């Protein structure tokens, strides 16, 4: 009886969805349903096979317009079906894994550039655009939006915004939050709202920030207006090796404090410096972009600071090589991608990235390294590649090869995160700088937010009373 009722409800929902977006935009194909069970995260890949609960989605829906998206959410609210927004599926924390079945709403058919405003330096596009497609279109007109994550080819605007992403040039151009002027969002009830695409405003709280980093839990982002820049005349690299990590950090701190604006500023710890760059010490690569005179001037100033901190000049070549390989250099070749790690071996790996102030970033590196390597079979190395006047971001590769079975790998994965994130929180850092929360870190959200987590939950309940949007994520309740 129960089963018959569910089948009947499923059929009604299917017919409603077909009426909303057309039969060609609703899939119940088992192969497609299976394909959307995971994302690029370790958990997304292993969960379907292991003890963590996950339900097969009922439908994959591909709306082509904001109106269709609104109708899908309205229906989902009526049928109380969970909705998981999905863009590139390249998230590494499992944020797009549809835990409780229902609808996976793939935004990739909303992939149009709506306007490029060359006078006011903005682009408006739909949220399903893959980042690199947008970048190519802008480059053809002499512009860049300067958001170049290593996942540029496989992630999209919706994912960048909902995941609060950072590109490799973020030290100069900022994270995605500082690039967005306005957004269009479909709320869980199906209501469409827009934030005003102006350079700045003092009219109350900025609602863009409610949806940036919301990981699909508060609505579906359908459009965004982002700032763009004329392509730089030149981009120049310079690399250094410092006697130790502390000296490299001091150089970074003084470069930022001096008001220099590097596009990239990457520092490797001693392990990564040796393994990746064959350098004994702490490797730093630095780039400036813009017009030649200003670039030369900044480079000269940075060089003087680096020298004063004991940096040996390695010239432009290592940085230029890194730039050429920026989309392929994510994982060291000997360790494979997380995909290989999960599939072919019992290696468990993740980048447990964080951000913290200059005062304790070095201590976070030290203590996280000690905490994770206490777990047998763990290796740890890190680089630091997004900088602010107030501190920086650490990007550690944590890999464990001590598990003896697939099940143990999942336990080991969480054990590593408990150790690493525990150290971060003790010292005052954040649980994530740009990879987001997803399934991996959701249990840490109450500690990250403290008393303000209740305020966040209140907003969630108010916007999404039936808890249809990506339930069980960001530390919110499941179903
Ligand atoms: C090889 C590789 C390199 C990477 N490099 C970087 C990097 O340099 N910088 C970085 O920040 N990240 C990086 N990542 C992580 C990943 O690319 C980012 O988290 C990115 O923001 C995910 O975008 P996506 O389009 O793949 O989103 P998805 O994985 O599809 O979704 C991510 C989250 O956003 C939600 N979502 C998606 N679209 C919408 C929408 N339209 N409205 C509301 N919610 C939505 C989903 O529900 C999910 O919660 C990398 C990943 C890989 C695999």
């Amino acid at each position: 009886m129960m089963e018959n009722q569910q089948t009947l409800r499923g059929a009604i929902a299917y017919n409603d969805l077909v009426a909303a977006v057309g039969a060609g935009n609703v899939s119940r194909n088992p192969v497609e349903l299976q394909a959307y069970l995971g994302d690029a995260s370790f958990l997304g890949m292993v969960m379907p096979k292991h003890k963590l609960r996950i339900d097969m989605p009922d439908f994959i829906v591909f709306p082509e317009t904001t109106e269709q998206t609104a109708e899908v959410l309205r229906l989902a609210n009526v049928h109380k079906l969970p909705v998981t927004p999905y863009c590139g599926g390249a998230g590494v924390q499992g944020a797009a894994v549809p835990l409780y079945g229902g609808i996976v709403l793939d935004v990739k058919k909303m992939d149009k550039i709506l306007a490029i405003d060359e006078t006011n330096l903005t682009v408006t596009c739909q949220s399903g655009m893959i980042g690199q497609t947008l970048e190519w279109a802008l480059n053809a007109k002499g512009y860049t939006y300067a958001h170049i994550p290593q996942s540029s080819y496989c992630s999209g605007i919706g994912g960048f915004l909902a995941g609060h992403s950072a590109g490799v040039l973020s030290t100069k151009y900022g994270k995605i939050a500082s690039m967005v002027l306005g957004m269009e969002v479909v709320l869980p009830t199906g209501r469409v709202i827009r934030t005003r695409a102006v350079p700045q405003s003092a009219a109350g709280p900025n609602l863009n920030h409610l949806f940036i980093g919301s990981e699909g839990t508060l609505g579906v982002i359908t459009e965004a207006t982002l700032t763009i820049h004329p392509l730089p005349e030149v981009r120049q690299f310079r690399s250094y090796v410092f006697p130790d990590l502390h000296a490299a950090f001091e150089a970074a701190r003084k470069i930022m404090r001096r008001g220099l604006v590097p596009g990239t500023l990457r520092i490797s710890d001693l392990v990564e410096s040796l393994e990746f760059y064959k350098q004994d010490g702490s490797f730093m690569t630095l780039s400036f972009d813009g017009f030649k005179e200003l670039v030369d001037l900044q480079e000269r100033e940075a060089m003087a600071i680096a020298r004063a901190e004991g940096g040996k000049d390695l010239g432009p070549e290592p940085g230029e090589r890194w730039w050429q390989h920026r989309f392929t250099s994510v994982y060291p070749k000997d360790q494979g991608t997380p995909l290989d790690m999960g599939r072919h071996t019992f290696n468990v790996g993740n980048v447990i990235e964080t951000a913290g102030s200059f005062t304790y970033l070095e201590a976070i590196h030290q203590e996280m390294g000690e905490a994770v390597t206490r777990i047998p079979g763990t290796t740890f190395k890190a680089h630091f590649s997004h900088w602010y006047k107030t501190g920086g971001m650490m990007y550690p590769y944590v890999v464990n090869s001590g598990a003896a079975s697939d099940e143990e790998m999942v336990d080991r994965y969480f054990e590593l995160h408990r150790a690493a994130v525990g150290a971060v929180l003790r010292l005052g850092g954040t649980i994530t700088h740009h990879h987001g929360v997803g399934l991996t870190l959701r249990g840490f959200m109450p500690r990250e937010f403290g008393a303000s987590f209740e305020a966040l939950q209140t907003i969630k309940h108010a916007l999404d009373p039936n808890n249809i949007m990506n339930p069980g994520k960001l530390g919110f309740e499941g179903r």
Side-chain angles (χ1 to χ4, degrees):
M1 179 63 184
M2 267 283 278
E3 208 174 295
N4 282 344
Q5 270 176 358
Q6 271 175 358
T7 313
L8 184 63
R9 259 209 307 271
I12 294 169
Y14 177 73
N15 290 337
D16 283 352
L17 289 170
V18 167
V21 296
N25 286 332
V26 186
S27 173
R28 289 188 293 187
N29 175 336
V31 176
E32 244 167 350
L33 299 182
Q34 180 79 34
Y36 280 86
L37 267 181
D39 57 6
S41 64
F42 170 77
L43 289 176
M45 284 179 283
V46 301
M47 267 179 75
K49 288 186 282 172
H50 297 294
K51 56 192 170 186
L52 298 161
R53 180 188 158 178
I54 178 166
D55 296 340
M56 189 66 82
D58 300 284
F59 313 105
I60 316 298
V61 178
F62 304 90
E64 295 182 30
T65 62
T66 301
E67 293 68 32
Q68 289 185 354
T69 307
E71 184 56 10
V72 172
L73 291 205
R74 197 189 63 75
L75 291 169
N77 216 16
V78 169
H79 294 289
K80 300 197 172 34
L81 280 173
V83 178
T84 307
Y86 201 99
C87 192
V92 288
Q93 305 286 47
V97 173
L99 286 181
Y100 302 102
I103 298 170
V104 172
L105 189 153
D106 188 330
V107 293
K108 279 200 285 297
K109 285 196 182 178
M110 294 192 282
D111 61 352
K112 315 250 171 336
I113 293 182
L114 304 172
I116 297 177
D117 181 339
E118 298 186 50
T119 306
N120 299 299
L121 290 179
T122 61
V123 61
T124 301
C125 67
Q126 291 181 301
S127 66
M129 275 209 92
I130 293 298
Q132 195 59 30
T133 315
L134 177 60
E135 183 63 11
W136 282 327
L138 291 168
N139 291 171
K141 287 180 165 287
Y143 297 97
T144 172
Y145 82 119
H147 184 65
I148 321 279
Q150 280 172 313
S151 55
S152 187
Y153 287 79
C154 54
S155 290
I157 301 304
F160 295 150
L161 288 164
H164 208 160
S165 159
V168 296
L169 298 174
S170 83
T171 301
K172 174 169 182 179
Y173 295 98
K175 294 181 70 186
I176 195 81
S178 31
M179 302 176 176
V180 63
L181 282 82
M183 277 197 253
E184 181 187 72
V185 181
V186 181
L187 297 179
T189 51
R191 177 128 198 229
V192 181
I193 62 164
R194 297 185 77 92
T195 62
R196 204 167 275 274
V198 286
Q200 266 302 338
S201 168
N206 183 341
L207 281 188
N208 288 337
H209 289 283
L210 195 54
F211 300 101
I212 294 168
S214 62
E215 298 188 2
T217 61
L218 300 178
V220 178
I221 301 161
T222 40
E223 272 181 39
T225 299
L226 305 164
T227 184
I228 59 174
H229 311 265
L231 280 169
E233 285 170 23
V234 293
R235 174 171 286 120
Q236 291 175 191
F237 287 89
R238 204 87 200 178
S239 299
Y240 304 89
V241 61
F242 292 85
D244 53 32
L245 190 59
H246 181 73
F249 270 23
E250 275 303 281
R253 189 175 67 81
K254 288 175 183 170
I255 284 168
M256 298 307 292
R257 189 186 174 91
R258 182 91 171 126
L260 306 182
V261 191
T264 42
L265 199 181
R266 297 173 70 88
I267 294 175
S268 297
D269 71 5
L270 301 193
V271 179
E272 190 182 280
S273 297
L274 197 58
E275 284 185 12
F276 285 16
Y277 302 103
K278 310 294 170 225
Q279 293 296 332
D280 206 2
S282 181
F283 175 84
M284 172 195 279
T285 194
L286 191 64
S287 77
F288 293 98
D289 61 56
F291 63 91
K292 178 81 177 140
E293 293 81 351
L294 189 55
V295 166
D296 282 344
L297 180 62
Q298 296 203 72
E299 195 177 80
R300 260 202 320 276
E301 284 291 303
M303 210 182 277
I305 293 170
R307 259 198 230 107
E309 297 302 325
K312 185 175 124 204
D313 188 359
L314 302 173
E317 195 276 334
E320 285 167 359
R321 185 154 28 98
W322 170 81
W323 180 250
Q324 277 162 15
H325 293 274
R326 66 192 180 280
F327 295 120
T328 55
S329 62
V330 190
Y331 296 99
K333 292 226 167 1
D334 57 335
Q335 284 169 4
T337 63
L339 194 73
D340 299 327
M341 289 179 202
R343 292 240 170 109
H344 306 307
T345 69
F346 290 132
N347 281 356
V348 186
N350 203 14
V351 170
I352 312 181
E353 39 80 52
T354 177
S357 77
F358 285 110
T359 310
Y360 51 77
L361 195 56
E362 220 180 314
I364 289 182
H365 174 258
Q366 176 77 21
E367 291 197 22
M368 185 194 285
E370 285 169 9
V372 294
T373 51
R374 255 180 238 126
I375 300 167
T378 307
T379 59
F380 172 87
K381 57 177 155 275
H383 63 249
F384 304 79
S385 48
H386 305 268
W387 291 92
Y388 306 87
K389 279 202 170 82
T390 50
M393 184 247 26
M394 177 171 81
Y395 191 101
Y397 304 92
V398 182
V399 178
N400 180 282
S401 53
S405 67
D406 284 358
E407 283 73 17
E408 227 184 279
M409 277 194 336
V410 177
D411 293 340
R412 201 48 67 89
Y413 180 83
F414 284 114
E415 194 184 350
L416 291 172
H417 282 84
R418 277 195 301 275
V421 178
V424 166
L425 287 170
R426 261 196 315 281
L427 287 160
T430 176
I431 60 174
T432 172
H433 170 266
H434 62 270
H435 280 170
V437 175
L439 296 169
T440 307
L441 300 174
R442 58 186 173 157
F444 294 99
M445 282 294 279
R447 279 178 73 192
E448 170 84 12
F449 271 71
S452 47
F453 192 58
E454 209 181 305
L456 195 61
Q457 283 174 312
T458 306
I459 293 170
K460 165 74 174 169
H461 293 150
L463 289 182
D464 186 11
N466 291 320
N467 193 20
I468 61 163
M469 294 305 305
N470 210 357
K473 302 291 173 51
L474 273 197
F476 296 139
E477 291 127 27
R479 297 279 286 234

